[in-house]
């Protein structure tokens, strides 16, 4: 039974998508006594019998009897629903969120990419929606078994305030407190778009190129040609953010490259998806930023006699290449063979 | 012995690079009684013992005793030296051409790409240089064994006239006559740059994308995303030509795509090189057109206050991706595995 269930001001949390991200953060919060409820699909039977196992760089633990559910209608109504599905599974949100959210419940999506919150807004009309960027290395090793290798910071902020900016910011800080009390380095931001675009400066080049070039990050930056290309893509994303009115300090360009140089050789989540034959988050990570830029471009070109150049031509091409690879039924086996 | 060796006005031909292109065309000319001399490297012993075998869509034949040589210094001086090496082997031209060329001998390079003639100009100073585009499907199956599957047209013209435009054009037409008399659909052009750029409109997108996407031409144009990308690259090459002062009718854009749609599924030469672990002709096919465009761009940007956009951004990215793949020792085995 949850420990603080009866505390007046405590929040009830739902985790939708209990993989490498949702399983880890939800597991840490449950382990620290927060009131957490997990929606599971294929892992349900295994976790009900065996619990959840978290092997973490910060210390291993097992949740022997977590609150798990197989259907959203079986769950209690929750104050915060954390969405940590792959965004390629967002079609299930419309059936899930309305059944799990309390009347004034809030959604927090921890998915990768830009404007992934829009799917939650559409699936839970009238509810506030927050978005968060996670900086962590974590894998799901098997049913109910998460391996947390490194990092873990969350930067999250408001996306859809439903006119209640003050209330949402106050709740955001309360959620950050709950997470920090559970050992999670969670930080509320008042500028979610800047956090999103800042993370895209890494995700777009290194997720995308790692798939198209069949390479890990160290191989990409170890070759002058692909390093030049990665650098140009980083600059394009930075320029794309500015084009959309999101200002990021220029020092972030160099920091992104330097950070990647000092990382251990790393397979991006998109590459792991590709190699394992799973759909890739192409639209969340590349498609949505391109759409944001192209909407502005269309507006500005309509205003002016002169046609402006596309600020992210390499991102556009990278997306087309990924879409091709995503559409090939035989590609994963080609590359992992 | 060559049949027309003593004829006053007959030309003596050397073939440097007796693979799918040089072996086929040189073989056809020798078969029709022209005075042809082949420089061979690894195939020398085999061809001396077994002759050359051409399996052609137009009829099979064997040259039982062709004029073959292992070293350029053993060859007679020739009026026309046809260069049909891979351009990645052009370093050997400086040692070869001066030993094989007659005093007023001419070089004709049938290599793919743009400005590949410059290597011949540098290797044979004082000699005129012609370049030709070949439109053929032909493979080398083994030592001295060529398989000619389809097509065969050559369009060739002058590149370095050494001030003798009239003489070179006259000789060009004589060479075209000799080739036509040997069953080769050879055509002299007075606009070699247009022929080169026109061929690049196919070679750049379909050689490049077939390697990066690990796909045949029919797969590339069968997926909307990669078809859009291929179409944009065709348009970029067309625009790059115009930027360099080479005008190609706009109908060529649509023709290139339509032609590819009706082709049988085809592995480009660059893809075959890549899958077989051979170096790819990246610089001839993508690097030189980019350099031509970027020289002009630098000139124009120096002239004007406004910085012009790069006319071939996707070609630039494609080249960087190919350079990365070319630099990986393990890539060929990855993809063919």
């Amino acid at each position: 039974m949850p420990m603080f269930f009866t505390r007046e001001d405590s929040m009830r949390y739902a985790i939708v998508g209990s993989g490498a991200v949702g399983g880890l953060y939800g597991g840490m919060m449950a382990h620290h006594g927060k009131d957490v409820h997990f929606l599971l699909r294929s892992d349900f039977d295994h976790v009900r019998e065996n619990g959840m196992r978290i092997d973490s760089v910060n210390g291993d633990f097992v949740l022997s009897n977590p609150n798990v559910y197989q259907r959203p209608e079986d769950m209690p109504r929750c104050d915060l629903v954390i969405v940590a599905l792959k965004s390629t599974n967002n079609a299930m949100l419309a059936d899930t969120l309305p059944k799990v959210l309390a009347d004034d419940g809030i959604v927090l999506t921890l998915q990768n990419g830009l404007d992934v919150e829009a799917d939650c807004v559409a699936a839970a009309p009238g509810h506030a929606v927050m978005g968060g960027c996670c900086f962590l290395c974590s894998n799901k090793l098997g049913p109910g078994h998460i391996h947390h290798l490194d990092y873990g910071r969350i930067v999250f902020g408001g996306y859809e305030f439903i006119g209640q900016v003050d209330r949402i910011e106050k709740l955001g800080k309360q959620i950050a407190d709950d997470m920090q009390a559970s050992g999670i380095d969670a930080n509320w931001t008042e500028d979610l778009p800047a956090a999103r675009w800042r993370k895209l400066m890494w995700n777009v080049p290194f997720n995308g190129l790692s798939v198209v070039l069949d390479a890990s990050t160290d191989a990409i930056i170890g070759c002058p040609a692909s390093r030049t290309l990665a650098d140009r893509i980083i600059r394009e994303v930075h320029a794309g953010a500015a084009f959309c009115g999101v200002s990021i300090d220029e020092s972030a360009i160099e920091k992104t490259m330097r950070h990647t140089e000092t990382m251990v050789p790393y397979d991006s989540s998109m590459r792991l998806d590709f190699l394992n034959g799973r759909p890739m988050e192409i639209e969340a990570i590349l498609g949505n930023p391109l759409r944001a830029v192209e909407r502005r471009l269309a507006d500005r070109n309509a205003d002016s006699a002169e046609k402006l150049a596309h600020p992210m031509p390499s991102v556009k091409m990278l997306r087309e290449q990924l879409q091709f690879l995503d559409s090939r039924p035989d590609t994963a086996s080609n590359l992992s063979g």
Side-chain angles (χ1 to χ4, degrees), chain A residues 70-88:
Chain A
Q70 200 162 20
R71 305 184 316 162
E73 45 269 49
D74 299 336
M75 298 178 75
R77 298 278 175 169
C78 293
D79 304 303
L80 187 78
V81 179
I82 295 179
V83 174
L85 297 167
K86 287 258 156 195
S87 55
T88 48

Side-chain angles (χ1 to χ4, degrees), chain A residues 221 227 251-263:
Chain A
I221 59 174
R227 186 198 170 92
S251 65
I253 294 171
E254 213 199 306
K255 274 183 199 155
T256 302
M257 190 56 88
R258 231 186 310 125
H259 166 69
T260 311
E261 280 168 354
T262 55
M263 271 170 63

